[in-house]
Amino acid sequence: TRDYGESAEVIIGFGRTGFVLILWFVAIIVSIEVAGFNSFSLIAGLGIGSLAIAFAAQDALGNILAGISLLVQKHFAVGDYLKIGENEGRVVNLGLRSFILEARDGSRVSIPNKSINVHPLHNLSARKKINDNIYLQLSSSLTSQELESSIAIIKSTCSKFDLISGYRVKIVEMKFTHNINITFSTIIDDVKEQIKDIDILDIAPTVGSKLYMEIFSQLEKSELTPDTKILFMQN
């Protein structure tokens, strides 16, 4: 069960704001009546002015309604990592009209709540697995036997690598190199157990780098060494 304690404070804020708005509305109606005017006739008489105000408030109202929808449906909570449009980061604040993301470089960006109706929202914290790729190049000067041995070493290394839960190796023969595409999947909780305090956004690049270095190390230990051939490059 997820903890929405921090988001609950935002819900309370919404409730307080709504309560204050209702009190102000009631107070204005009562004041109009006490002054001897018919409040309903006066409100109806605003006509075009009310319509203009409604259009002006449309944007703000859209953000407020979207914010209420976010909190009710619990798409995400404070602390979650989100990707929406071109923006990506950790949610540090949920507001009446917008929510704030903190990017990896520490900068913060305010996202209007109604953006969720325009851009796909990806809650990266809700994922259990991460899929990613690393790309290698083997020299075209390799013999067929050397190429086969290299691929066998790559597959063996991937199968023994404890930070990934699955992999697929695809070979694309080019003019000067054999391009190797390794697609791997990693279980987030398993990585967090082995690498303490790792940021969720760092999991894929960290695992990919470690896998790359392990493959390089295993190829280096074999007879197919980078010292004797232009063998191994990352694309």
Side-chain angles (χ1 to χ4, degrees), residues 216-234:
F216 185 90
S217 175
Q218 294 304 317
L219 282 172
E220 193 174 32
K221 291 176 183 177
S222 70
E223 295 180 357
L224 305 168
T225 62
D227 293 330
T228 58
K229 290 192 177 184
I230 302 174
L231 171 68
F232 193 73
M233 298 176 288
Q234 185 173 17

Side-chain angles (χ1 to χ4, degrees), residues 142-162:
L142 294 174
T143 65
S144 59
Q145 183 176 355
E146 288 173 333
L147 177 60
E148 186 177 345
S149 297
S150 298
I151 298 302
I153 291 172
I154 292 172
K155 289 183 177 179
S156 174
T157 304
C158 289
S159 64
K160 296 175 182 178
F161 195 68
D162 57 0

